[in-house]
């Protein structure tokens, strides 16, 4: 098990060091922001929604390591998904973060299972996901 937690630790460190899909997405047609005042995190998610699927996704923001790594992971997980699939993925992530119950097979989402022992940080981990789901509900905007 400790090998697995090392592996999960390295997933978070890696997303912190090399955030994926960070910065404005020039082709975005949906955008939403969220913040987490208790920790000082903020996150804006840019989505390119093609009417069926998330064709492109990026984020901008600042805050603690958990919030930034989670935002980076979120973009890699939601790209290519339909809104229903995105919702489903978020539910899985939120369940892991809140309960610490990780699936038996390796799953990048489970890297954040340790967050459940710090209830105040759960909002850090889910901030960007809320923003992404919110962006999907927004009316189309011109970039
Ligand atoms: Zn935070």
């Amino acid at each position: 098990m400790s090998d697995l937690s090392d592996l999960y630790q390295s997933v978070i460190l890696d997303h912190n060091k090399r955030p994926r899909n960070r910065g404005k997405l020039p082709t975005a047609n949906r955008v939403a922001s969220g913040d987490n005042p208790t920790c000082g995190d903020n996150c804006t998610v840019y989505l390119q929604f093609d009417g069926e699927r998330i064709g492109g996704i990026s984020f901008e923001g600042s805050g603690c390591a958990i919030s930034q790594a989670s935002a980076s992971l979120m973009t890699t997980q939601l790209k290519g998904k339909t809104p229903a699939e995105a919702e489903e993925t978020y539910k899985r992530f939120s369940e892991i973060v809140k309960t610490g119950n990780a699936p038996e097979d390796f799953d990048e989402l489970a890297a954040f299972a340790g967050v459940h022992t710090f209830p105040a940080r759960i909002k850090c981990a889910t901030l960007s996901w809320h923003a992404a789901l919110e962006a999907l509900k927004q009316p189309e905007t011109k970039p």
Side-chain angles (χ1 to χ4, degrees):
M1 188 61 202
S2 86
D3 282 356
L4 196 58
S5 44
D6 285 353
L7 189 56
Y8 285 141
Q9 189 66 31
S10 73
V11 169
I12 296 183
L13 290 176
D14 183 49
H15 277 280
N16 266 315
K17 222 190 273 176
R18 300 185 300 121
R20 321 295 200 275
N21 307 305
R22 184 177 200 136
K24 249 187 192 130
L25 184 70
T27 53
N29 53 18
R30 301 281 191 285
V31 60
S33 303
D35 65 346
N36 177 21
T38 53
C39 183
D41 312 319
N42 63 76
C43 184
T44 300
V45 173
Y46 301 90
L47 273 177
Q48 182 206 331
F49 186 56
D50 66 12
E52 223 172 289
R53 287 180 184 277
I54 299 168
I57 181 167
S58 75
F59 79 100
E60 265 183 338
S62 59
C64 69
I66 291 176
S67 69
Q68 300 304 297
S70 176
S72 171
L73 177 73
M74 178 278 293
T75 62
T76 64
Q77 294 284 323
L78 296 192
K79 191 173 178 185
K81 290 207 161 57
T82 64
E85 289 166 350
E87 188 94 29
E88 202 48 49
T89 307
Y90 167 68
K91 273 190 200 145
R92 207 148 54 82
F93 179 70
S94 146
E95 185 72 16
I96 290 170
V97 167
K98 284 175 187 158
T99 64
N101 295 331
E104 273 181 34
D105 297 327
F106 179 76
D107 181 342
E108 281 209 325
L109 294 175
F112 290 84
V115 171
H116 86 282
T117 53
F118 308 97
R121 312 307 295 277
I122 290 172
K123 275 189 181 158
C124 303
T126 55
L127 174 67
S128 59
W129 293 77
H130 283 295
L133 295 180
E134 193 52 42
L136 279 170
K137 296 176 189 144
Q138 295 300 309
E140 187 159 332
T141 52
K142 294 279 164 259

